Amino acid sequence: MTALVAQSFNIKGIVQGVGFRPWIFQLAKRFQLTGHVLNDGQGVSILVQGPEMALASFRAALDTERPPLCRIDELTVSHAQVQDLQDFTIAHSIAGQAAAIVTVGSDKSSCDACLAEIRDPNNRHFGYPFTNCTHCGPRYTIIRNLPYDRHNTAMAGFALCDACRQAYEDPMDRRYHAQPVSCPKCGPELTLRGAGGEILAKREQALAQTIALIEQGKILAIKGLGGFHLICDAGNHDAVTELRRRKCRPAKPLALMMPSIEFAKQYAEGSSAEWQLLSSQERPIVLMAKKQHQADAPALSSAIAPDIDRLGLFLPYTPLHTLLLDGLQRPLVATSANRSGEPIITDGDEVLQQLGKPPLAVVDAILDHNRPIINGCDDSVVQMLDDELQVLRLARGYAPLSLPSKSLASMNIVSKSLVSMNTASKSLANKDSGDNSSNKLPSLLAVGPQQKNTLALNIGNQLYLSPHIGDLFSVEAEGYFERTLQSFQRLYRFEPEAIIRDKHPDYASSRWAERQSARQLEVQHHFAHLLAVMAANDYSGKVLGFSFDGTGLGDDNQLWGGELLLADCQGFQRLATLSPMTLLGGEQAIREPWRLLYSLLLQNHGIEELQQLAVFAAEPAAKLTNLGKLASGGIGPKSHSIGRLFDAAAALLANLRLSQYEGQAGIILETLARRAIAAGKQQRVEKLGLELKLEHELEPTNTRAELVLGQWQSAPLFSALLLAWRTEPDSELLALAFIQAIGKGIITAALKARNWLKAEGRDELPLVLSGGVFQSRLLSEYCHRELARLEFHRLKPGLVPVNDGGIALGQLWYGLHQPGLTQSLVER
């Protein structure tokens, strides 16, 4: 008789709600093993028993196979006592009292098998808009508590019919314990309501009438996975312009949902990587190049992305969207249902309250359903830089983002003296728990910045970054911030031992933090940008970091945004910055970019000369004179922001007088620059000689530690830009030259920093490029290629946004590396 051995497996990661337990069940049956598998708040526990060779095969399969949505972050194996077991079973989930370690999965788009079923007239799921299985469908947006079981989700109120229960309870079925599983007999149903709330239709008729209303040019709110979309026919110019008017969104591009990838190829051009990204199961909005209109393709409204050469495209990601697009066979505008600048709306009654009533009525009707959205989640927005993914908005499909840190797991946070005092008890506790990291790392909460806010927290060495929350400029947005935090606290049974926030005292997130009783740390904004990329790489050493964005409060209480920092997890040294410009009119200068241009040009040009320029012609001479006096007197806040340079350049080259949405200047300049490339104007750029020079106003001394590499000189760059504009007013050529001048300024600074480090006897360091300015595709691609050519090592941000959406993760990474903080919390 073959001797039996038993082993226990404890697995953490994305292992609940992804078909992991039935897959383990099938593996055990394949290798004729006995035992059990169960979910708990810590992940998945497995006991397997059988011949040694069979267990070895089981263990190998854990490494080489796995369900498509599963991710194993940590797997521990230990010997177990052989028991009298006759079969392998799937045990009921248990909920522990300790903080949860299991990772909540993000929502995924419909799999091919489910899509085939909703299109098959002979299948019981035919035409059913809530079809899903363990390989697809909602996760984060429907979960209330862990473990991920039906009674802990938005499906708790829907009793399974006999057919669905049979699939749900069969470990060999792909719907085994798929928590949202349902069918037309037992699941959620659609309801079409008018703007006044009256019921117009239900179920299949609701979808049919929705299609008819869109064809008639109406604007509808339609419930998705994480919130409502405002939807209209993208080819109906009147409908698109009316949507813009009603939503008070005059210029910002609108996203397009395409019926299929073949349809999308009629309107956009892209690399193979971009098309793969568009059709990935995450289904993000992908920014792609506009294609010249083809005669055989239905025309799009010119109001979708006015004056720019990019489209934001995505494909249907739920059965409802698929059925809708199958019926319409045309592109749809699909933008977040909210009032401008506020969070996405997740409740149908709230849609009617905010968007259905005069005088601010936005929607003509609402397609709702009765499966609640527990956790709101907007659409992700991404782009490709050559073949490197860049996330601009982290949300559906990617978020919540979990990052297991091996370095934190092995780091001895506790001080040596504390260890020596408690060696025996600590060793015993670690042995019993099997988890060294959770005993040493405190649970911290990082509350992020004011704009593009996200939250970050940790459970032991597992880091979590929340989905996009948005700009915290309204009561509604602050409420969404608090609801998102409550969701994470509920899911992970999480109470922060300390809170990390931005240094800016007037950020809504900073004010919220100040009202809490937990200990607090502050992190400078641009330092946090770099830390976010370091966290994405599980890196805690020194870096040379370029942190370029629009605004952030610096250590000297000026507005930074063009910084080269020598940084590690403890702090930074400011090696270089952009020379300051005066914001004439304060925040008004950010809304009116001509003021920035005027401020920069005044440093080398007289008021009378500038009054003759067409870009300032609309302003009264007396106003320009008064602003000139303010500038000469140094009156007004100072900014070191590279983002403001883009605004000023757009004012000159594109006559951008009023900025209508964040990043508009950069998008316009990129559009102009790409036209220059398409027209073959690159060779003329060098002749213009535009430079963003890095130099000292005074020679540095050996005792001068601040700005050892100097300042990038913005005023001479704009004087040269103005001269070139007067000589040859080619906005496309000059936009390309401007972007490349910024890029060359970065490369020159990187080389100077490399030489400085060498002269100081220090090792060469990896580079980080972070901040919203690096959303400029042309700028980033130029820098990436040049840095690679010069053999610099660059840390890539991965799925972490380079804009302010990554700040919270950087704050968290800082907090977790502060020995004083972590030690004192452990001692308590």
Side-chain angles (χ1 to χ4, degrees):
M1 181 176 179
T2 305
L4 297 180
V5 294
Q7 289 183 331
S8 175
F9 294 80
N10 291 294
I11 301 175
K12 298 173 185 176
I14 302 177
V15 289
Q16 292 189 14
V18 294
F20 192 77
R21 285 181 300 167
W23 174 69
I24 293 294
F25 177 90
Q26 293 164 28
L27 280 186
K29 291 294 186 182
R30 186 201 308 176
F31 299 117
Q32 299 181 338
L33 301 171
T34 58
H36 61 255
V37 59
L38 63 87
N39 283 346
D40 60 23
Q42 304 293 299
V44 169
S45 296
I46 308 166
L47 175 69
V48 285
Q49 181 173 295
E52 188 172 357
M53 289 295 292
L55 259 67
S57 298
F58 175 87
R59 176 69 179 86
L62 281 176
D63 293 330
T64 58
E65 299 182 25
R66 303 179 187 176
L69 301 184
C70 156
R71 191 189 80 198
I72 294 178
D73 295 334
E74 184 179 330
L75 187 156
T76 58
V77 187
S78 58
H79 292 292
Q81 188 72 33
V82 174
Q83 304 174 33
D84 183 14
L85 300 172
Q86 304 302 317
D87 202 355
F88 192 90
T89 60
I90 298 177
H92 291 294
S93 301
I94 59 174
Q97 296 302 311
I101 301 298
V102 65
T103 296
V104 176
S106 57
D107 296 44
K108 299 298 181 183
S109 64
S110 301
C111 67
D112 291 342
C114 286
L115 292 179
E117 289 176 340
I118 67 172
R119 289 166 170 157
D120 180 1
N122 298 314
N123 191 282
R124 69 189 183 92
H125 294 96
F126 175 64
Y128 183 57
F130 305 97
T131 302
N132 71 93
C133 69
T134 55
H135 300 155
C136 66
R139 300 288 193 279
Y140 169 73
T141 55
I142 65 166
I143 189 170
R144 283 192 175 93
N145 287 299
L146 288 169
Y148 180 64
D149 285 331
R150 193 177 180 93
H151 67 274
N152 285 330
T153 73
M155 295 298 294
F158 297 93
L160 292 164
C161 67
D162 290 344
C164 285
R165 180 164 295 281
Q166 182 179 355
Y168 182 83
E169 294 179 348
D170 181 0
M172 305 306 289
D173 194 291
R174 81 175 200 279
R175 291 196 166 89
Y176 177 79
H177 278 215
Q179 307 308 337
V181 68
S182 61
C183 74
K185 288 184 178 180
C186 63
E189 64 179 33
L190 296 175
T191 301
L192 180 66
R193 293 194 280 172
E198 67 279 13
I199 295 177
L200 304 178
K202 287 191 171 240
R203 300 173 73 89
E204 295 87 351
Q205 283 302 309
L207 181 61
Q209 288 191 33
T210 295
I211 290 172
L213 289 172
I214 292 172
E215 290 176 333
Q216 294 166 23
K218 302 297 184 182
I219 298 168
L220 278 80
I222 295 180
K223 194 174 187 177
L225 283 180
F228 281 81
H229 285 119
L230 295 177
I231 283 180
C232 69
D233 180 355
N236 187 323
H237 185 69
D238 291 340
V240 176
T241 53
E242 180 64 9
L243 172 60
R244 284 197 176 279
R245 186 192 71 78
R246 293 183 187 180
K247 200 183 176 186
C248 301
R249 185 172 171 168
K252 190 176 181 179
L254 298 166
L256 295 177
M257 186 177 284
M258 292 286 172
S260 65
I261 198 163
E262 291 76 22
F263 229 100
K265 287 182 176 179
Q266 298 180 83
Y267 301 97
E269 296 177 324
S271 65
S272 59
E274 287 174 312
W275 293 118
Q276 289 172 12
L277 184 58
L278 186 71
S279 57
S280 67
Q281 201 165 11
E282 288 74 21
R283 287 290 196 276
I285 297 172
V286 184
L287 303 187
M288 302 183 72
K290 277 184 184 177
K291 194 173 189 176
Q292 190 168 7
H293 177 63
Q294 297 177 318
D296 57 345
L300 297 176
S301 166
S302 59
I304 287 168
D307 303 320
I308 64 174
D309 65 347
R310 296 273 147 175
L311 291 173
L313 305 183
F314 63 138
L315 297 180
Y317 57 86
T318 69
L320 174 56
H321 293 125
T322 300
L323 294 168
L324 184 68
L325 271 295
D326 281 358
L328 284 163
Q329 284 301 300
R330 68 186 73 187
L332 297 177
V333 168
T335 187
S336 300
N338 54 10
R339 289 186 297 207
S340 185
E342 293 186 359
I344 189 170
I345 300 175
T346 60
D347 179 75
D349 290 338
E350 189 177 349
V351 172
L352 293 173
Q353 180 68 28
Q354 291 196 26
L355 306 179
K357 292 184 177 181
L360 299 175
V362 176
V363 299
D364 297 310
I366 171 176
L367 183 62
D368 202 353
H369 60 72
N370 57 338
R371 184 179 71 197
I373 296 173
I374 307 299
N375 305 303
C377 194
D378 219 319
D379 296 313
S380 291
V381 181
V382 304
Q383 66 179 353
M384 295 300 294
L385 308 177
D386 291 325
D387 287 335
E388 181 180 328
L389 172 65
Q390 185 183 73
V391 175
L392 307 180
R393 184 166 73 196
L394 182 79
R396 178 189 49 76
Y398 299 110
L401 178 64
S402 62
L403 298 169
S405 170
K406 293 182 179 179
S407 68
L408 287 176
S410 62
M411 183 187 298
N412 189 350
I413 294 291
V414 187
S415 69
K416 291 182 179 180
S417 60
L418 188 61
V419 170
S420 63
M421 291 169 60
N422 298 283
T423 299
S425 60
K426 292 288 178 184
S427 298
L428 180 60
N430 292 340
K431 181 178 179 181
D432 290 342
S433 68
D435 180 9
N436 294 329
S437 62
S438 61
N439 287 328
K440 296 179 180 178
L441 290 168
S443 292
L444 307 181
L445 170 67
V447 294
Q450 180 77 358
Q451 293 179 278
K452 296 181 175 63
N453 182 269
T454 57
L455 298 168
L457 58 91
N458 74 294
I459 306 293
N461 67 308
Q462 189 78 235
L463 315 183
Y464 298 96
L465 184 61
S466 79
H468 169 83
I469 294 171
D471 299 343
L472 304 182
F473 290 119
S474 67
V475 172
E476 290 80 6
E478 291 185 34
Y480 191 58
F481 166 92
E482 294 196 13
R483 290 195 299 276
T484 302
L485 174 58
Q486 289 164 6
S487 292
F488 277 84
Q489 289 178 312
R490 184 178 65 249
L491 287 169
Y492 292 109
R493 304 177 187 91
F494 170 84
E495 285 298 329
E497 299 171 69
I499 297 172
I500 325 297
R501 66 174 180 88
D502 194 277
K503 278 196 169 184
H504 200 303
D506 294 329
Y507 283 179
S509 54
S510 297
R511 293 197 306 270
W512 179 89
E514 288 175 350
R515 296 194 295 269
Q516 311 310 306
S517 59
R519 182 173 173 178
Q520 295 183 32
L521 266 71
E522 297 178 348
V523 184
Q524 199 277 327
H525 188 93
H526 301 94
F527 179 33
H529 268 305
L530 306 184
L531 289 161
V533 179
M534 294 164 66
N537 289 271
D538 199 9
Y539 180 84
S540 55
K542 291 187 179 296
V543 299
L544 283 170
F546 293 85
S547 192
F548 287 6
D549 64 3
T551 299
L553 185 66
D555 284 349
D556 57 2
N557 288 320
Q558 290 194 8
L559 299 175
W560 292 7
E563 315 305 321
L564 172 56
L565 308 178
L566 172 63
D568 60 21
C569 290
Q570 303 305 317
F572 65 88
Q573 179 183 354
R574 196 181 186 200
L575 301 183
T577 188
L578 183 69
S579 58
M581 70 190 87
T582 301
L583 299 182
L584 297 175
E587 289 190 5
Q588 194 171 357
I590 299 173
R591 295 188 294 270
E592 299 178 1
W594 65 266
R595 292 172 177 264
L596 299 167
L597 177 64
Y598 191 54
S599 174
L600 286 163
L601 292 177
L602 279 170
Q603 295 184 45
N604 289 315
H605 301 269
I607 295 175
E608 292 185 2
E609 176 191 355
L610 296 180
Q611 286 177 342
Q612 308 306 312
L613 297 178
V615 66
F616 304 123
E619 303 303 326
K623 181 178 181 179
L624 294 175
T625 299
N626 288 335
L627 289 175
K629 290 178 180 178
L630 291 176
S632 63
I635 300 173
K638 303 297 186 292
S639 172
H640 297 262
S641 167
I642 297 287
R644 301 285 81 87
L645 293 191
F646 276 77
D647 294 340
L652 178 64
L653 304 180
N655 197 31
L656 181 66
R657 298 191 53 74
L658 179 67
S659 184
Q660 295 170 302
Y661 59 90
E662 187 186 12
Q664 184 178 15
I667 293 172
I668 290 174
L669 290 175
E670 284 233 2
T671 297
L672 293 171
R674 277 191 286 265
R675 289 174 185 165
I677 293 171
K681 298 178 181 179
Q682 301 98 310
Q683 301 302 321
R684 295 164 55 192
V685 168
E686 292 296 330
K687 296 179 181 178
L688 294 173
L690 293 187
E691 289 184 89
L692 182 63
K693 292 182 178 179
L694 178 61
E695 55 188 36
H696 288 283
E697 294 179 358
L698 299 171
E699 285 299 315
T701 65
N702 292 332
T703 59
R704 181 175 177 178
E706 179 74 355
L707 298 181
V708 294
L709 298 181
Q711 295 184 345
W712 286 286
Q713 302 299 314
S714 53
L717 170 63
F718 273 80
S719 289
L721 191 64
L722 176 61
L723 177 61
W725 175 251
R726 284 170 162 168
T727 305
E728 186 177 8
D730 185 333
S731 59
E732 297 172 359
L733 172 64
L734 293 178
L736 179 60
F738 170 79
I739 292 173
Q740 288 197 4
I742 303 296
K744 289 177 181 177
I746 292 169
I747 302 304
T748 299
L751 289 169
K752 285 188 175 183
R754 172 189 270 177
N755 292 335
W756 174 72
L757 286 171
K758 186 176 180 180
E760 293 279 314
R762 305 193 198 184
D763 294 334
E764 186 162 336
L765 299 176
L767 294 185
V768 171
L769 307 181
S770 192
V773 167
F774 290 106
Q775 293 174 133
S776 167
R777 185 169 172 169
L778 282 180
L779 175 64
S780 287
E781 288 179 342
Y782 175 87
C783 291
H784 294 176
R785 293 167 189 166
E786 285 298 298
L787 292 172
R789 183 181 66 81
L790 294 167
E791 298 183 337
F792 282 95
H793 172 53
R794 177 174 60 88
L795 298 182
K796 299 178 181 180
L799 293 177
V800 177
V802 296
N803 56 35
D804 281 9
I807 287 282
L809 183 65
Q811 293 171 342
L812 179 66
W813 195 241
Y814 174 80
L816 287 168
H817 287 84
Q818 300 313 299
L821 171 69
T822 50
Q823 178 181 332
S824 65
L825 293 175
V826 169
E827 289 170 339
R828 279 196 295 167

